[in-house]
Amino acid sequence: MLALLMTMNAVKEPIRTSSFPSPLSVRPSSLCTRKMTLQAFACAPFISRQYTEAAVIDKREAFEQLEASVLLLRRLLKDDEYARVTAGGGDALRREIGFVGTGSPLFSIDKALTVLRDEAMDPVEYGEEFERFSYALRMADNDAYSANFVEFSAAKATPAGYFKSAKNELRQAYASLANLFDLIPPQ
């Protein structure tokens, strides 16, 4: 690797045919492009480590967030509570499911679930449920977001239709999250 970097440092400037070259005549060589790419990849571990160390949570905190998220989804799926939340519009629902603001236990739930991944009794099933949960929650957010703008578009859909679809997605998210909760031994 060192030899490769040393040869890339020896890259010479492109040959210029006049003192005022056109932008098309001076292009970086492929070695120069590879050098810049390798330098970016060499810095990436240091950059990502900086952000991940700041947001690390321990297993106990992750388990508590998972418990609170399961309880939130269970409460939110009750008809009267769901009607109360959706009366505030799509952003009110998005706030509850953690996509607007930081007050919901579902905010950054993917980080908590990633921390708990090593604790799972069946890691393969855990990974599959994690994907199903993430997909269902993103689709519920998409529907809630769409409910904000459907009244002002030429579409024939209604906010109620999007909220109904979002509730179905939240049911699937709740089922997946409950399965994830069951795959982790109590802390």
Side-chain angles (χ1 to χ4, degrees):
M1 182 70 172
L2 184 59
L4 178 65
L5 288 175
M6 288 174 58
T7 58
M8 288 185 182
N9 285 334
V11 173
K12 297 182 177 158
E13 288 289 318
I15 298 172
R16 296 184 182 162
T17 56
S18 70
S19 58
F20 297 98
S22 74
L24 296 176
S25 66
V26 180
R27 287 187 273 175
S29 68
S30 61
L31 282 178
C32 183
T33 305
R34 281 189 232 141
K35 177 182 175 184
M36 290 185 291
T37 304
L38 284 174
Q39 287 173 344
F41 281 120
C43 294
F46 301 109
I47 294 169
S48 62
R49 190 178 309 130
Q50 171 189 359
Y51 292 109
T52 56
E53 287 175 358
V56 171
I57 60 174
D58 66 0
K59 292 178 182 176
R60 182 188 51 77
E61 291 172 329
F63 191 77
E64 289 173 359
Q65 184 177 357
L66 178 60
E67 281 182 316
S69 297
V70 169
L71 293 175
L72 171 77
L73 284 176
R74 184 181 302 152
R75 176 182 58 83
L76 192 57
L77 288 173
K78 293 180 181 173
D79 290 336
D80 57 336
E81 181 67 13
Y82 192 76
R84 184 190 66 77
V85 170
T86 56
D91 280 341
L93 179 59
R94 295 180 73 221
R95 188 171 292 106
E96 287 290 321
I97 62 174
F99 285 90
V100 172
T102 61
S104 172
L106 286 168
F107 174 74
S108 293
I109 188 67
D110 55 336
K111 291 179 186 176
L113 292 173
T114 302
V115 168
L116 294 171
R117 177 182 49 211
D118 296 333
E119 301 293 314
M121 293 181 276
D122 184 356
V124 174
E125 186 178 347
Y126 186 88
E128 291 171 356
E129 282 296 334
F130 184 15
E131 287 181 23
R132 281 192 284 269
F133 165 74
S134 296
Y135 179 77
L137 196 63
R138 281 192 317 270
M139 293 306 293
D141 172 59
N142 187 27
D143 289 337
Y145 184 80
S146 296
N148 285 332
F149 301 104
V150 71
E151 293 176 337
F152 307 108
S153 73
K156 294 181 182 175
T158 63
Y162 280 111
F163 287 135
K164 182 178 179 183
S165 177
K167 189 170 185 179
N168 290 333
E169 295 293 341
L170 288 175
R171 280 191 188 101
Q172 292 174 359
Y174 173 72
S176 293
L177 195 61
N179 289 340
L180 288 169
F181 186 76
D182 291 340
L183 287 170
I184 301 168
Q187 302 292 315

